[in-house]
Amino acid sequence: MIEIRGLQKAFGAVGVLRGIDLDIADGEVVALIGRSGCGKTTLLRCINFLETYEAGEIRLDGQPLWYRTGADGVRRRMGDAEARRMRQQMGIVFQQYNLFPHMTVLDNVVLGPRFSQGVSALEAEALGRRLLARVGLEGKMSAYPAQLSGGQQQRVAIARALAMRPKVLLLDEITSALDPELVGEVEDVIRSLLSDRIMLVLVTHAVGFAREIAHRIAYIADGAIAELGKPAEVLDRPKDPGLKEFLRRVRS
Amino acid sequence: MPAGSLQLLAQGAIVSLLLAASAIVGGTLLAIVLAVMAFSRLAAVRAGYRVYVYVVRGTPLLVLALLLFYALPALDLRTGPYIAGTLVLIIYTAALFAEVFRGGVLAIPRPQWESARSLGLPPLAMFRKVVAPLVTRYTLPPYVNVCVMTVKASSVLSIISVWELTLAAREIIERTFAVFTVLGLAAAFYFVMCFGIDRLGRRLERHLALRGFAGERA
């Protein structure tokens, strides 16, 4: 499980996250929604330390992440090697796929297990082939990212993240950059993950999809969780006036 | 022009090419170390990089060559002009290559770094599998530029009595006074060498681009 306590982050003088508390249980799917600039993507990126943060704690299965407070009371970044080990327990998929353009699809997927986790070449390749088959790309193993559609690239990116056998998968608006007709194929892949009982944290504007797959939805406004609950509560009986306004806009 | 002159020029051209080749190989290796220094977490290491580049790039190659030619024997290193000349060329091209590589690293899009970091890649794997392949592709044209320049810059070494194409030409001119013929031939030799490097660079570019790099022709 993931425990987030009192997370605070500022860009200069501007507070982006102002005390986030959130627990994510094993196998839980949590969707983060909110207006652009509300801090939902920053929160996601803090979880795997693509962003630093000034205060608060994040734990994964009880292990404190990213910062250590020494005996002298000073908070320091954890060592690089330790941070790498922690990162290997989580996968992230980006809005723009961000595949490595100079590698084949299979090499993109194999890279992490092979070089971060030291899995043998043979084993890593077998794993890569299995995952690519799972996302429906068994025919594209030796293609290069530039030769694929956006939806295909995003499915490779999901396979690449899964190849690390992560405990949690962070999904950052993964269908926002796609042509509408390609959204479904990526959403189908995410649906197929639900039976794995892996933790999913997704930032999304697709409220309908969030309602379908999320166990809980967090509405974030001004860097804080303004409302948190089951999809039916948050989406159908919103209490926060900002959330009501937000839902009216995304649905119109 | 007496017989044998053409052969002498060809021999000089081979020496020039060897000088340039050692400078390119040695300079590239040194430049990789320098470029890594340029992105060090330690401010002192980054400062070391800047000092090297500013000093070497801000000094004429001719002055550097003379300096090293006189300095090495003064340090009791009896090396002779060929070692000194090769060293000078390596030191000089390394500064230029290092800036080319640094530009290439800066050109790597931030999302590529984030992908690599999110996979938890250790530094060496990150360099070998992500940074080096991308930088190679980004920097090939300016890299070839420096290579071509190195061939021509090797002519400066004639000043410190390195016998190469330019010195060979001057010797022939002193004997024959066929200034324009001999210099024209020497220029032609330089041109052929540089043109060859250009073609090689283009071939390499195409070869790497075919591997699905963005910018690939359909």
Side-chain angles (χ1 to χ4, degrees), chain A residues 212-235:
Chain A
E212 178 199 329
I213 69 159
H215 299 110
R216 284 188 302 160
I217 293 180
Y219 170 69
I220 299 180
D222 290 328
I225 296 180
E227 208 159 322
L228 173 67
K230 293 201 167 68
E233 295 165 15
V234 173
L235 299 178

Side-chain angles (χ1 to χ4, degrees), chain A residues 45 98-99 102 116 144 160, chain B residues 112 114-115 119 129 211:
Chain A
R45 290 164 56 86
N98 300 354
L99 298 176
H102 56 286
S116 296
Y144 285 87
R160 180 174 70 174
Chain B
Q112 290 287 310
E114 291 185 345
S115 278
L119 291 177
K129 293 292 165 182
R211 301 187 165 191

Side-chain angles (χ1 to χ4, degrees), chain B residues 107-142:
Chain B
I108 296 176
R110 194 177 136 147
Q112 290 287 310
W113 292 110
E114 291 185 345
S115 278
R117 278 167 65 196
S118 73
L119 291 177
L121 285 183
L124 194 65
M126 187 115 119
F127 179 82
R128 277 182 49 221
K129 293 292 165 182
V130 180
V131 178
L134 289 176
V135 169
T136 306
R137 285 164 174 81
Y138 296 158
T139 61
L140 211 50

